Amino acid sequence: MTARLVVLVSGSGTNLQAILDAAADPSYGARVVAVGADRDDIEGLRRAERAGIPTFVAKVGDHTSREYWDRALADKVGAFEPDLVVLAGFMKLVGDKFLARFGGVTLNTHPALSPSFPGMHGPRDALEYGVKVTGATLFVVDAGVDTGAIVAQAVVPVEDDDSVETLHERIKVAERAMLVESVGRMAREGFAVDGRRVRLGG
Ligand code: GRF
C-alpha cells in the first residue's frame, strides 16, 4: 500500500521537491496527496501546482484565534486522509487540536542537531556558538519546540568561512537526503515510537 503524505510548507519548498522527486518512483512507497501552507504566494505551493498536486492555505490571520486556526488546519489536512504529515520548512507550531488528530504521525525537520539549537535560527545559533559540526534532525512532532522523538539525524561540518547562508545550504543538502530516505522507510517498513526512541520497521 502506498502511504498518503500531506506536506506543509512556508517557503521555498526544496524539501518538498525532494519528496516529490522521490515519490515519482512508485517503489518509493509514499505519494504526496496534498500540500498545505500558512501563507500564499510561495515557491513551495508553486512546486505542488507544477506537479499537479492539490494545495490549500490556512493563514493564522484569517482566524479569530490561534486555536481556531489550528482546528482549521487539522480539518484541511484531515480531508486528505494522510498516513503521514510532513512539516517541511513549515514555520508555525501546530497546536493541541492538530496533535490530537495527527500526533504520532506528524514529522518535522529542523536544521540543527537536536537537542542543540531549537527554534527558528538553528544555523545562525550553531554558527554563533562555534560548534564544528551541526546538521539536521527529523523528529515526530510533539507539543514542544523541536523536542519530539528523533527519527534520524544528518551531520555536516561547519567551515571556518561559513556564513549563516552557506551553512544552512550545506545543512539543507543533508536534510533533504535524510528526509527522503527516512520518510520512504517509514512508509515502506512502518515505525514504532517507544518513549523517546523511534524504531523503523514497526
Ligand atoms: C529547512 O532547512 C527547514 O528545516 C527549515 O527551513 C528550511 C526550509 O527549506 N525550517 P525548504 O523550504 O524546504 O527549501
mmCIF file with all atom_site columns, all heavy atoms in Angstrom, residues 9-17 44 47 87-91 108-112 119-120 123 136 168 171-172 175-176, ligand 1:
data_model
loop_
_atom_site.group_PDB
_atom_site.id
_atom_site.type_symbol
_atom_site.label_atom_id
_atom_site.label_alt_id
_atom_site.label_comp_id
_atom_site.label_asym_id
_atom_site.label_entity_id
_atom_site.label_seq_id
_atom_site.pdbx_PDB_ins_code
_atom_site.Cartn_x
_atom_site.Cartn_y
_atom_site.Cartn_z
_atom_site.occupancy
_atom_site.B_iso_or_equiv
_atom_site.pdbx_formal_charge
_atom_site.auth_seq_id
_atom_site.auth_comp_id
_atom_site.auth_asym_id
_atom_site.auth_atom_id
_atom_site.pdbx_PDB_model_num
ATOM   1   N N   . VAL A 1 9   ? 4.255  23.489 4.091  1.00 0.00 ? 9   VAL A N   1
ATOM   2   C CA  . VAL A 1 9   ? 5.412  24.323 3.762  1.00 0.00 ? 9   VAL A CA  1
ATOM   3   C C   . VAL A 1 9   ? 5.128  25.787 4.089  1.00 0.00 ? 9   VAL A C   1
ATOM   4   O O   . VAL A 1 9   ? 3.960  26.201 4.203  1.00 0.00 ? 9   VAL A O   1
ATOM   5   C CB  . VAL A 1 9   ? 5.776  24.211 2.260  1.00 0.00 ? 9   VAL A CB  1
ATOM   6   C CG1 . VAL A 1 9   ? 6.210  22.798 1.897  1.00 0.00 ? 9   VAL A CG1 1
ATOM   7   C CG2 . VAL A 1 9   ? 4.598  24.628 1.378  1.00 0.00 ? 9   VAL A CG2 1
ATOM   8   N N   . SER A 1 10  ? 6.214  26.570 4.222  1.00 0.00 ? 10  SER A N   1
ATOM   9   C CA  . SER A 1 10  ? 6.069  28.027 4.377  1.00 0.00 ? 10  SER A CA  1
ATOM   10  C C   . SER A 1 10  ? 6.984  28.798 3.439  1.00 0.00 ? 10  SER A C   1
ATOM   11  O O   . SER A 1 10  ? 6.952  30.035 3.435  1.00 0.00 ? 10  SER A O   1
ATOM   12  C CB  . SER A 1 10  ? 6.415  28.465 5.811  1.00 0.00 ? 10  SER A CB  1
ATOM   13  O OG  . SER A 1 10  ? 5.548  27.913 6.758  1.00 0.00 ? 10  SER A OG  1
ATOM   14  N N   . GLY A 1 11  ? 7.832  28.092 2.679  1.00 0.00 ? 11  GLY A N   1
ATOM   15  C CA  . GLY A 1 11  ? 8.848  28.835 1.936  1.00 0.00 ? 11  GLY A CA  1
ATOM   16  C C   . GLY A 1 11  ? 9.179  28.216 0.600  1.00 0.00 ? 11  GLY A C   1
ATOM   17  O O   . GLY A 1 11  ? 8.295  27.874 -0.187 1.00 0.00 ? 11  GLY A O   1
ATOM   18  N N   . SER A 1 12  ? 10.472 28.032 0.375  1.00 0.00 ? 12  SER A N   1
ATOM   19  C CA  . SER A 1 12  ? 10.927 27.655 -0.963 1.00 0.00 ? 12  SER A CA  1
ATOM   20  C C   . SER A 1 12  ? 10.574 26.217 -1.329 1.00 0.00 ? 12  SER A C   1
ATOM   21  O O   . SER A 1 12  ? 10.461 25.888 -2.509 1.00 0.00 ? 12  SER A O   1
ATOM   22  C CB  . SER A 1 12  ? 12.431 27.869 -1.076 1.00 0.00 ? 12  SER A CB  1
ATOM   23  O OG  . SER A 1 12  ? 13.100 27.024 -0.181 1.00 0.00 ? 12  SER A OG  1
ATOM   24  N N   . GLY A 1 13  ? 10.408 25.353 -0.346 1.00 0.00 ? 13  GLY A N   1
ATOM   25  C CA  . GLY A 1 13  ? 9.910  24.012 -0.640 1.00 0.00 ? 13  GLY A CA  1
ATOM   26  C C   . GLY A 1 13  ? 10.910 23.077 -1.289 1.00 0.00 ? 13  GLY A C   1
ATOM   27  O O   . GLY A 1 13  ? 10.506 22.150 -1.998 1.00 0.00 ? 13  GLY A O   1
ATOM   28  N N   . THR A 1 14  ? 12.195 23.248 -1.021 1.00 0.00 ? 14  THR A N   1
ATOM   29  C CA  . THR A 1 14  ? 13.153 22.310 -1.624 1.00 0.00 ? 14  THR A CA  1
ATOM   30  C C   . THR A 1 14  ? 13.053 20.935 -0.971 1.00 0.00 ? 14  THR A C   1
ATOM   31  O O   . THR A 1 14  ? 13.292 19.920 -1.632 1.00 0.00 ? 14  THR A O   1
ATOM   32  C CB  . THR A 1 14  ? 14.608 22.830 -1.553 1.00 0.00 ? 14  THR A CB  1
ATOM   33  O OG1 . THR A 1 14  ? 15.011 22.951 -0.184 1.00 0.00 ? 14  THR A OG1 1
ATOM   34  C CG2 . THR A 1 14  ? 14.758 24.159 -2.279 1.00 0.00 ? 14  THR A CG2 1
ATOM   35  N N   . ASN A 1 15  ? 12.700 20.892 0.301  1.00 0.00 ? 15  ASN A N   1
ATOM   36  C CA  . ASN A 1 15  ? 12.469 19.583 0.935  1.00 0.00 ? 15  ASN A CA  1
ATOM   37  C C   . ASN A 1 15  ? 11.255 18.899 0.319  1.00 0.00 ? 15  ASN A C   1
ATOM   38  O O   . ASN A 1 15  ? 11.281 17.696 0.044  1.00 0.00 ? 15  ASN A O   1
ATOM   39  C CB  . ASN A 1 15  ? 12.295 19.757 2.449  1.00 0.00 ? 15  ASN A CB  1
ATOM   40  C CG  . ASN A 1 15  ? 13.617 19.914 3.168  1.00 0.00 ? 15  ASN A CG  1
ATOM   41  O OD1 . ASN A 1 15  ? 14.365 18.957 3.322  1.00 0.00 ? 15  ASN A OD1 1
ATOM   42  N ND2 . ASN A 1 15  ? 13.918 21.128 3.591  1.00 0.00 ? 15  ASN A ND2 1
ATOM   43  N N   . LEU A 1 16  ? 10.197 19.664 0.111  1.00 0.00 ? 16  LEU A N   1
ATOM   44  C CA  . LEU A 1 16  ? 9.017  19.132 -0.581 1.00 0.00 ? 16  LEU A CA  1
ATOM   45  C C   . LEU A 1 16  ? 9.415  18.587 -1.950 1.00 0.00 ? 16  LEU A C   1
ATOM   46  O O   . LEU A 1 16  ? 9.024  17.480 -2.335 1.00 0.00 ? 16  LEU A O   1
ATOM   47  C CB  . LEU A 1 16  ? 7.973  20.240 -0.749 1.00 0.00 ? 16  LEU A CB  1
ATOM   48  C CG  . LEU A 1 16  ? 6.872  19.963 -1.774 1.00 0.00 ? 16  LEU A CG  1
ATOM   49  C CD1 . LEU A 1 16  ? 5.984  18.815 -1.333 1.00 0.00 ? 16  LEU A CD1 1
ATOM   50  C CD2 . LEU A 1 16  ? 6.049  21.225 -2.028 1.00 0.00 ? 16  LEU A CD2 1
ATOM   51  N N   . GLN A 1 17  ? 10.207 19.360 -2.690 1.00 0.00 ? 17  GLN A N   1
ATOM   52  C CA  . GLN A 1 17  ? 10.593 18.937 -4.046 1.00 0.00 ? 17  GLN A CA  1
ATOM   53  C C   . GLN A 1 17  ? 11.351 17.612 -4.010 1.00 0.00 ? 17  GLN A C   1
ATOM   54  O O   . GLN A 1 17  ? 11.154 16.745 -4.866 1.00 0.00 ? 17  GLN A O   1
ATOM   55  C CB  . GLN A 1 17  ? 11.469 20.011 -4.695 1.00 0.00 ? 17  GLN A CB  1
ATOM   56  C CG  . GLN A 1 17  ? 11.741 19.733 -6.171 1.00 0.00 ? 17  GLN A CG  1
ATOM   57  C CD  . GLN A 1 17  ? 10.477 19.853 -7.018 1.00 0.00 ? 17  GLN A CD  1
ATOM   58  O OE1 . GLN A 1 17  ? 9.803  20.874 -6.983 1.00 0.00 ? 17  GLN A OE1 1
ATOM   59  N NE2 . GLN A 1 17  ? 10.143 18.801 -7.761 1.00 0.00 ? 17  GLN A NE2 1
ATOM   60  N N   . GLY A 1 44  ? 6.982  26.981 -2.549 1.00 0.00 ? 44  GLY A N   1
ATOM   61  C CA  . GLY A 1 44  ? 6.539  25.644 -2.128 1.00 0.00 ? 44  GLY A CA  1
ATOM   62  C C   . GLY A 1 44  ? 5.189  25.282 -2.733 1.00 0.00 ? 44  GLY A C   1
ATOM   63  O O   . GLY A 1 44  ? 4.994  24.160 -3.218 1.00 0.00 ? 44  GLY A O   1
ATOM   64  N N   . ARG A 1 47  ? 5.542  24.705 -6.491 1.00 0.00 ? 47  ARG A N   1
ATOM   65  C CA  . ARG A 1 47  ? 6.107  23.379 -6.806 1.00 0.00 ? 47  ARG A CA  1
ATOM   66  C C   . ARG A 1 47  ? 5.007  22.320 -6.830 1.00 0.00 ? 47  ARG A C   1
ATOM   67  O O   . ARG A 1 47  ? 4.983  21.445 -7.707 1.00 0.00 ? 47  ARG A O   1
ATOM   68  C CB  . ARG A 1 47  ? 7.160  22.982 -5.766 1.00 0.00 ? 47  ARG A CB  1
ATOM   69  C CG  . ARG A 1 47  ? 8.443  23.777 -5.843 1.00 0.00 ? 47  ARG A CG  1
ATOM   70  C CD  . ARG A 1 47  ? 9.376  23.344 -4.707 1.00 0.00 ? 47  ARG A CD  1
ATOM   71  N NE  . ARG A 1 47  ? 10.493 24.243 -4.537 1.00 0.00 ? 47  ARG A NE  1
ATOM   72  C CZ  . ARG A 1 47  ? 11.637 24.193 -5.223 1.00 0.00 ? 47  ARG A CZ  1
ATOM   73  N NH1 . ARG A 1 47  ? 11.788 23.271 -6.154 1.00 0.00 ? 47  ARG A NH1 1
ATOM   74  N NH2 . ARG A 1 47  ? 12.606 25.049 -5.001 1.00 0.00 ? 47  ARG A NH2 1
ATOM   75  N N   . LEU A 1 87  ? 6.000  18.183 7.999  1.00 0.00 ? 87  LEU A N   1
ATOM   76  C CA  . LEU A 1 87  ? 6.237  19.628 8.055  1.00 0.00 ? 87  LEU A CA  1
ATOM   77  C C   . LEU A 1 87  ? 7.623  19.847 7.454  1.00 0.00 ? 87  LEU A C   1
ATOM   78  O O   . LEU A 1 87  ? 8.631  19.413 8.019  1.00 0.00 ? 87  LEU A O   1
ATOM   79  C CB  . LEU A 1 87  ? 6.182  20.137 9.495  1.00 0.00 ? 87  LEU A CB  1
ATOM   80  C CG  . LEU A 1 87  ? 4.979  19.689 10.356 1.00 0.00 ? 87  LEU A CG  1
ATOM   81  C CD1 . LEU A 1 87  ? 4.983  20.452 11.689 1.00 0.00 ? 87  LEU A CD1 1
ATOM   82  C CD2 . LEU A 1 87  ? 3.658  19.878 9.652  1.00 0.00 ? 87  LEU A CD2 1
ATOM   83  N N   . ALA A 1 88  ? 7.660  20.481 6.291  1.00 0.00 ? 88  ALA A N   1
ATOM   84  C CA  . ALA A 1 88  ? 8.923  20.641 5.561  1.00 0.00 ? 88  ALA A CA  1
ATOM   85  C C   . ALA A 1 88  ? 9.190  22.137 5.404  1.00 0.00 ? 88  ALA A C   1
ATOM   86  O O   . ALA A 1 88  ? 8.795  22.750 4.420  1.00 0.00 ? 88  ALA A O   1
ATOM   87  C CB  . ALA A 1 88  ? 8.837  19.946 4.201  1.00 0.00 ? 88  ALA A CB  1
ATOM   88  N N   . GLY A 1 89  ? 9.826  22.710 6.434  1.00 0.00 ? 89  GLY A N   1
ATOM   89  C CA  . GLY A 1 89  ? 10.014 24.151 6.409  1.00 0.00 ? 89  GLY A CA  1
ATOM   90  C C   . GLY A 1 89  ? 8.714  24.883 6.705  1.00 0.00 ? 89  GLY A C   1
ATOM   91  O O   . GLY A 1 89  ? 8.492  25.991 6.220  1.00 0.00 ? 89  GLY A O   1
ATOM   92  N N   . PHE A 1 90  ? 7.857  24.279 7.522  1.00 0.00 ? 90  PHE A N   1
ATOM   93  C CA  . PHE A 1 90  ? 6.592  24.907 7.929  1.00 0.00 ? 90  PHE A CA  1
ATOM   94  C C   . PHE A 1 90  ? 6.895  25.704 9.194  1.00 0.00 ? 90  PHE A C   1
ATOM   95  O O   . PHE A 1 90  ? 7.277  25.134 10.217 1.00 0.00 ? 90  PHE A O   1
ATOM   96  C CB  . PHE A 1 90  ? 5.546  23.825 8.188  1.00 0.00 ? 90  PHE A CB  1
ATOM   97  C CG  . PHE A 1 90  ? 4.162  24.347 8.473  1.00 0.00 ? 90  PHE A CG  1
ATOM   98  C CD1 . PHE A 1 90  ? 3.472  25.072 7.514  1.00 0.00 ? 90  PHE A CD1 1
ATOM   99  C CD2 . PHE A 1 90  ? 3.544  24.088 9.688  1.00 0.00 ? 90  PHE A CD2 1
ATOM   100 C CE1 . PHE A 1 90  ? 2.190  25.539 7.765  1.00 0.00 ? 90  PHE A CE1 1
ATOM   101 C CE2 . PHE A 1 90  ? 2.257  24.541 9.950  1.00 0.00 ? 90  PHE A CE2 1
ATOM   102 C CZ  . PHE A 1 90  ? 1.579  25.273 8.981  1.00 0.00 ? 90  PHE A CZ  1
ATOM   103 N N   . MET A 1 91  ? 6.744  27.034 9.107  1.00 0.00 ? 91  MET A N   1
ATOM   104 C CA  . MET A 1 91  ? 7.263  27.906 10.161 1.00 0.00 ? 91  MET A CA  1
ATOM   105 C C   . MET A 1 91  ? 6.226  28.257 11.228 1.00 0.00 ? 91  MET A C   1
ATOM   106 O O   . MET A 1 91  ? 6.218  29.363 11.764 1.00 0.00 ? 91  MET A O   1
ATOM   107 C CB  . MET A 1 91  ? 7.842  29.188 9.539  1.00 0.00 ? 91  MET A CB  1
ATOM   108 C CG  . MET A 1 91  ? 8.937  28.922 8.518  1.00 0.00 ? 91  MET A CG  1
ATOM   109 S SD  . MET A 1 91  ? 10.269 27.862 9.139  1.00 0.00 ? 91  MET A SD  1
ATOM   110 C CE  . MET A 1 91  ? 11.321 29.110 9.863  1.00 0.00 ? 91  MET A CE  1
ATOM   111 N N   . ASN A 1 108 ? 8.651  16.492 11.537 1.00 0.00 ? 108 ASN A N   1
ATOM   112 C CA  . ASN A 1 108 ? 9.188  17.813 11.211 1.00 0.00 ? 108 ASN A CA  1
ATOM   113 C C   . ASN A 1 108 ? 10.690 17.685 11.040 1.00 0.00 ? 108 ASN A C   1
ATOM   114 O O   . ASN A 1 108 ? 11.319 16.807 11.634 1.00 0.00 ? 108 ASN A O   1
ATOM   115 C CB  . ASN A 1 108 ? 8.874  18.809 12.334 1.00 0.00 ? 108 ASN A CB  1
ATOM   116 C CG  . ASN A 1 108 ? 9.122  20.259 11.929 1.00 0.00 ? 108 ASN A CG  1
ATOM   117 O OD1 . ASN A 1 108 ? 9.449  20.555 10.777 1.00 0.00 ? 108 ASN A OD1 1
ATOM   118 N ND2 . ASN A 1 108 ? 8.984  21.159 12.874 1.00 0.00 ? 108 ASN A ND2 1
ATOM   119 N N   . THR A 1 109 ? 11.238 18.560 10.251 1.00 0.00 ? 109 THR A N   1
ATOM   120 C CA  . THR A 1 109 ? 12.682 18.565 10.082 1.00 0.00 ? 109 THR A CA  1
ATOM   121 C C   . THR A 1 109 ? 13.227 19.903 10.560 1.00 0.00 ? 109 THR A C   1
ATOM   122 O O   . THR A 1 109 ? 12.661 20.956 10.285 1.00 0.00 ? 109 THR A O   1
ATOM   123 C CB  . THR A 1 109 ? 13.077 18.244 8.623  1.00 0.00 ? 109 THR A CB  1
ATOM   124 O OG1 . THR A 1 109 ? 14.449 18.555 8.452  1.00 0.00 ? 109 THR A OG1 1
ATOM   125 C CG2 . THR A 1 109 ? 12.268 19.009 7.625  1.00 0.00 ? 109 THR A CG2 1
ATOM   126 N N   . HIS A 1 110 ? 14.307 19.813 11.329 1.00 0.00 ? 110 HIS A N   1
ATOM   127 C CA  . HIS A 1 110 ? 14.887 21.000 11.966 1.00 0.00 ? 110 HIS A CA  1
ATOM   128 C C   . HIS A 1 110 ? 16.355 21.112 11.547 1.00 0.00 ? 110 HIS A C   1
ATOM   129 O O   . HIS A 1 110 ? 17.082 20.112 11.616 1.00 0.00 ? 110 HIS A O   1
ATOM   130 C CB  . HIS A 1 110 ? 14.771 20.855 13.487 1.00 0.00 ? 110 HIS A CB  1
ATOM   131 C CG  . HIS A 1 110 ? 15.426 21.967 14.230 1.00 0.00 ? 110 HIS A CG  1
ATOM   132 N ND1 . HIS A 1 110 ? 15.067 23.290 14.056 1.00 0.00 ? 110 HIS A ND1 1
ATOM   133 C CD2 . HIS A 1 110 ? 16.431 21.967 15.135 1.00 0.00 ? 110 HIS A CD2 1
ATOM   134 C CE1 . HIS A 1 110 ? 15.827 24.045 14.822 1.00 0.00 ? 110 HIS A CE1 1
ATOM   135 N NE2 . HIS A 1 110 ? 16.661 23.271 15.484 1.00 0.00 ? 110 HIS A NE2 1
ATOM   136 N N   . PRO A 1 111 ? 16.814 22.305 11.149 1.00 0.00 ? 111 PRO A N   1
ATOM   137 C CA  . PRO A 1 111 ? 18.196 22.412 10.651 1.00 0.00 ? 111 PRO A CA  1
ATOM   138 C C   . PRO A 1 111 ? 19.226 22.592 11.768 1.00 0.00 ? 111 PRO A C   1
ATOM   139 O O   . PRO A 1 111 ? 19.977 23.560 11.780 1.00 0.00 ? 111 PRO A O   1
ATOM   140 C CB  . PRO A 1 111 ? 18.121 23.628 9.723  1.00 0.00 ? 111 PRO A CB  1
ATOM   141 C CG  . PRO A 1 111 ? 17.073 24.489 10.325 1.00 0.00 ? 111 PRO A CG  1
ATOM   142 C CD  . PRO A 1 111 ? 16.056 23.547 10.944 1.00 0.00 ? 111 PRO A CD  1
ATOM   143 N N   . ALA A 1 112 ? 19.257 21.642 12.678 1.00 0.00 ? 112 ALA A N   1
ATOM   144 C CA  . ALA A 1 112 ? 20.283 21.584 13.730 1.00 0.00 ? 112 ALA A CA  1
ATOM   145 C C   . ALA A 1 112 ? 20.246 20.171 14.300 1.00 0.00 ? 112 ALA A C   1
ATOM   146 O O   . ALA A 1 112 ? 19.328 19.397 14.004 1.00 0.00 ? 112 ALA A O   1
ATOM   147 C CB  . ALA A 1 112 ? 20.024 22.608 14.829 1.00 0.00 ? 112 ALA A CB  1
ATOM   148 N N   . GLY A 1 119 ? 14.340 25.993 17.655 1.00 0.00 ? 119 GLY A N   1
ATOM   149 C CA  . GLY A 1 119 ? 13.742 27.285 17.298 1.00 0.00 ? 119 GLY A CA  1
ATOM   150 C C   . GLY A 1 119 ? 14.030 27.693 15.868 1.00 0.00 ? 119 GLY A C   1
ATOM   151 O O   . GLY A 1 119 ? 14.490 26.904 15.048 1.00 0.00 ? 119 GLY A O   1
ATOM   152 N N   . MET A 1 120 ? 13.782 28.962 15.609 1.00 0.00 ? 120 MET A N   1
ATOM   153 C CA  . MET A 1 120 ? 13.749 29.473 14.233 1.00 0.00 ? 120 MET A CA  1
ATOM   154 C C   . MET A 1 120 ? 15.129 29.683 13.614 1.00 0.00 ? 120 MET A C   1
ATOM   155 O O   . MET A 1 120 ? 15.238 29.920 12.424 1.00 0.00 ? 120 MET A O   1
ATOM   156 C CB  . MET A 1 120 ? 13.046 30.837 14.221 1.00 0.00 ? 120 MET A CB  1
ATOM   157 C CG  . MET A 1 120 ? 11.637 30.826 14.763 1.00 0.00 ? 120 MET A CG  1
ATOM   158 S SD  . MET A 1 120 ? 10.495 30.286 13.511 1.00 0.00 ? 120 MET A SD  1
ATOM   159 C CE  . MET A 1 120 ? 10.381 31.808 12.554 1.00 0.00 ? 120 MET A CE  1
ATOM   160 N N   . PRO A 1 123 ? 20.699 27.303 12.190 1.00 0.00 ? 123 PRO A N   1
ATOM   161 C CA  . PRO A 1 123 ? 22.021 27.517 11.571 1.00 0.00 ? 123 PRO A CA  1
ATOM   162 C C   . PRO A 1 123 ? 22.757 28.716 12.176 1.00 0.00 ? 123 PRO A C   1
ATOM   163 O O   . PRO A 1 123 ? 23.956 28.625 12.471 1.00 0.00 ? 123 PRO A O   1
ATOM   164 C CB  . PRO A 1 123 ? 21.673 27.741 10.094 1.00 0.00 ? 123 PRO A CB  1
ATOM   165 C CG  . PRO A 1 123 ? 20.379 27.010 9.905  1.00 0.00 ? 123 PRO A CG  1
ATOM   166 C CD  . PRO A 1 123 ? 19.624 27.222 11.185 1.00 0.00 ? 123 PRO A CD  1
ATOM   167 N N   . ALA A 1 136 ? 20.980 18.256 10.676 1.00 0.00 ? 136 ALA A N   1
ATOM   168 C CA  . ALA A 1 136 ? 19.525 18.312 10.610 1.00 0.00 ? 136 ALA A CA  1
ATOM   169 C C   . ALA A 1 136 ? 18.952 17.130 11.388 1.00 0.00 ? 136 ALA A C   1
ATOM   170 O O   . ALA A 1 136 ? 19.582 16.084 11.485 1.00 0.00 ? 136 ALA A O   1
ATOM   171 C CB  . ALA A 1 136 ? 19.062 18.253 9.159  1.00 0.00 ? 136 ALA A CB  1
ATOM   172 N N   . HIS A 1 168 ? 23.580 26.989 6.156  1.00 0.00 ? 168 HIS A N   1
ATOM   173 C CA  . HIS A 1 168 ? 22.209 26.470 6.006  1.00 0.00 ? 168 HIS A CA  1
ATOM   174 C C   . HIS A 1 168 ? 22.071 25.695 4.693  1.00 0.00 ? 168 HIS A C   1
ATOM   175 O O   . HIS A 1 168 ? 21.420 24.652 4.642  1.00 0.00 ? 168 HIS A O   1
ATOM   176 C CB  . HIS A 1 168 ? 21.185 27.606 6.104  1.00 0.00 ? 168 HIS A CB  1
ATOM   177 C CG  . HIS A 1 168 ? 19.783 27.113 6.346  1.00 0.00 ? 168 HIS A CG  1
ATOM   178 N ND1 . HIS A 1 168 ? 18.715 27.945 6.506  1.00 0.00 ? 168 HIS A ND1 1
ATOM   179 C CD2 . HIS A 1 168 ? 19.267 25.853 6.448  1.00 0.00 ? 168 HIS A CD2 1
ATOM   180 C CE1 . HIS A 1 168 ? 17.605 27.225 6.692  1.00 0.00 ? 168 HIS A CE1 1
ATOM   181 N NE2 . HIS A 1 168 ? 17.921 25.955 6.655  1.00 0.00 ? 168 HIS A NE2 1
ATOM   182 N N   . ILE A 1 171 ? 23.544 22.323 5.209  1.00 0.00 ? 171 ILE A N   1
ATOM   183 C CA  . ILE A 1 171 ? 22.615 21.534 6.034  1.00 0.00 ? 171 ILE A CA  1
ATOM   184 C C   . ILE A 1 171 ? 21.454 21.032 5.178  1.00 0.00 ? 171 ILE A C   1
ATOM   185 O O   . ILE A 1 171 ? 21.052 19.867 5.273  1.00 0.00 ? 171 ILE A O   1
ATOM   186 C CB  . ILE A 1 171 ? 22.080 22.383 7.213  1.00 0.00 ? 171 ILE A CB  1
ATOM   187 C CG1 . ILE A 1 171 ? 23.197 22.664 8.215  1.00 0.00 ? 171 ILE A CG1 1
ATOM   188 C CG2 . ILE A 1 171 ? 20.903 21.679 7.889  1.00 0.00 ? 171 ILE A CG2 1
ATOM   189 C CD1 . ILE A 1 171 ? 22.827 23.711 9.276  1.00 0.00 ? 171 ILE A CD1 1
ATOM   190 N N   . LYS A 1 172 ? 20.926 21.903 4.329  1.00 0.00 ? 172 LYS A N   1
ATOM   191 C CA  . LYS A 1 172 ? 19.740 21.536 3.558  1.00 0.00 ? 172 LYS A CA  1
ATOM   192 C C   . LYS A 1 172 ? 20.003 20.393 2.590  1.00 0.00 ? 172 LYS A C   1
ATOM   193 O O   . LYS A 1 172 ? 19.111 19.582 2.317  1.00 0.00 ? 172 LYS A O   1
ATOM   194 C CB  . LYS A 1 172 ? 19.168 22.761 2.837  1.00 0.00 ? 172 LYS A CB  1
ATOM   195 C CG  . LYS A 1 172 ? 18.419 23.691 3.810  1.00 0.00 ? 172 LYS A CG  1
ATOM   196 C CD  . LYS A 1 172 ? 17.867 24.929 3.123  1.00 0.00 ? 172 LYS A CD  1
ATOM   197 C CE  . LYS A 1 172 ? 16.708 24.575 2.211  1.00 0.00 ? 172 LYS A CE  1
ATOM   198 N NZ  . LYS A 1 172 ? 16.020 25.823 1.743  1.00 0.00 ? 172 LYS A NZ  1
ATOM   199 N N   . GLU A 1 175 ? 19.846 17.496 4.796  1.00 0.00 ? 175 GLU A N   1
ATOM   200 C CA  . GLU A 1 175 ? 18.478 17.414 5.329  1.00 0.00 ? 175 GLU A CA  1
ATOM   201 C C   . GLU A 1 175 ? 17.529 16.759 4.318  1.00 0.00 ? 175 GLU A C   1
ATOM   202 O O   . GLU A 1 175 ? 16.732 15.888 4.663  1.00 0.00 ? 175 GLU A O   1
ATOM   203 C CB  . GLU A 1 175 ? 18.007 18.840 5.651  1.00 0.00 ? 175 GLU A CB  1
ATOM   204 C CG  . GLU A 1 175 ? 16.662 18.936 6.321  1.00 0.00 ? 175 GLU A CG  1
ATOM   205 C CD  . GLU A 1 175 ? 16.304 20.407 6.648  1.00 0.00 ? 175 GLU A CD  1
ATOM   206 O OE1 . GLU A 1 175 ? 16.737 21.309 5.900  1.00 0.00 ? 175 GLU A OE1 1
ATOM   207 O OE2 . GLU A 1 175 ? 15.614 20.634 7.649  1.00 0.00 ? 175 GLU A OE2 1
ATOM   208 N N   . ARG A 1 176 ? 17.655 17.177 3.063  1.00 0.00 ? 176 ARG A N   1
ATOM   209 C CA  . ARG A 1 176 ? 16.769 16.620 2.029  1.00 0.00 ? 176 ARG A CA  1
ATOM   210 C C   . ARG A 1 176 ? 17.011 15.121 1.859  1.00 0.00 ? 176 ARG A C   1
ATOM   211 O O   . ARG A 1 176 ? 16.055 14.347 1.744  1.00 0.00 ? 176 ARG A O   1
ATOM   212 C CB  . ARG A 1 176 ? 16.993 17.348 0.699  1.00 0.00 ? 176 ARG A CB  1
ATOM   213 C CG  . ARG A 1 176 ? 16.470 18.779 0.703  1.00 0.00 ? 176 ARG A CG  1
ATOM   214 C CD  . ARG A 1 176 ? 16.466 19.374 -0.686 1.00 0.00 ? 176 ARG A CD  1
ATOM   215 N NE  . ARG A 1 176 ? 17.782 19.726 -1.182 1.00 0.00 ? 176 ARG A NE  1
ATOM   216 C CZ  . ARG A 1 176 ? 18.334 20.940 -1.085 1.00 0.00 ? 176 ARG A CZ  1
ATOM   217 N NH1 . ARG A 1 176 ? 17.664 21.925 -0.496 1.00 0.00 ? 176 ARG A NH1 1
ATOM   218 N NH2 . ARG A 1 176 ? 19.533 21.184 -1.574 1.00 0.00 ? 176 ARG A NH2 1
HETATM 219 C C1  . GRF B 2 .   ? 14.771 23.803 6.139  1.00 0.00 ? 1   GRF B C1  1
HETATM 220 O O1  . GRF B 2 .   ? 16.138 23.889 6.466  1.00 0.00 ? 1   GRF B O1  1
HETATM 221 C C2  . GRF B 2 .   ? 13.938 23.547 7.355  1.00 0.00 ? 1   GRF B C2  1
HETATM 222 O O2  . GRF B 2 .   ? 14.487 22.671 8.258  1.00 0.00 ? 1   GRF B O2  1
HETATM 223 C C3  . GRF B 2 .   ? 13.887 24.932 7.926  1.00 0.00 ? 1   GRF B C3  1
HETATM 224 O O3  . GRF B 2 .   ? 13.672 25.767 6.814  1.00 0.00 ? 1   GRF B O3  1
HETATM 225 C C4  . GRF B 2 .   ? 14.230 25.142 5.665  1.00 0.00 ? 1   GRF B C4  1
HETATM 226 C C5  . GRF B 2 .   ? 13.132 25.007 4.657  1.00 0.00 ? 1   GRF B C5  1
HETATM 227 O O4  . GRF B 2 .   ? 13.648 24.829 3.387  1.00 0.00 ? 1   GRF B O4  1
HETATM 228 N N1  . GRF B 2 .   ? 12.919 25.057 8.966  1.00 0.00 ? 1   GRF B N1  1
HETATM 229 P P1  . GRF B 2 .   ? 12.722 24.494 2.127  1.00 0.00 ? 1   GRF B P1  1
HETATM 230 O O5  . GRF B 2 .   ? 11.518 25.424 2.179  1.00 0.00 ? 1   GRF B O5  1
HETATM 231 O O6  . GRF B 2 .   ? 12.339 23.050 2.189  1.00 0.00 ? 1   GRF B O6  1
HETATM 232 O O7  . GRF B 2 .   ? 13.592 24.794 0.938  1.00 0.00 ? 1   GRF B O7  1
#
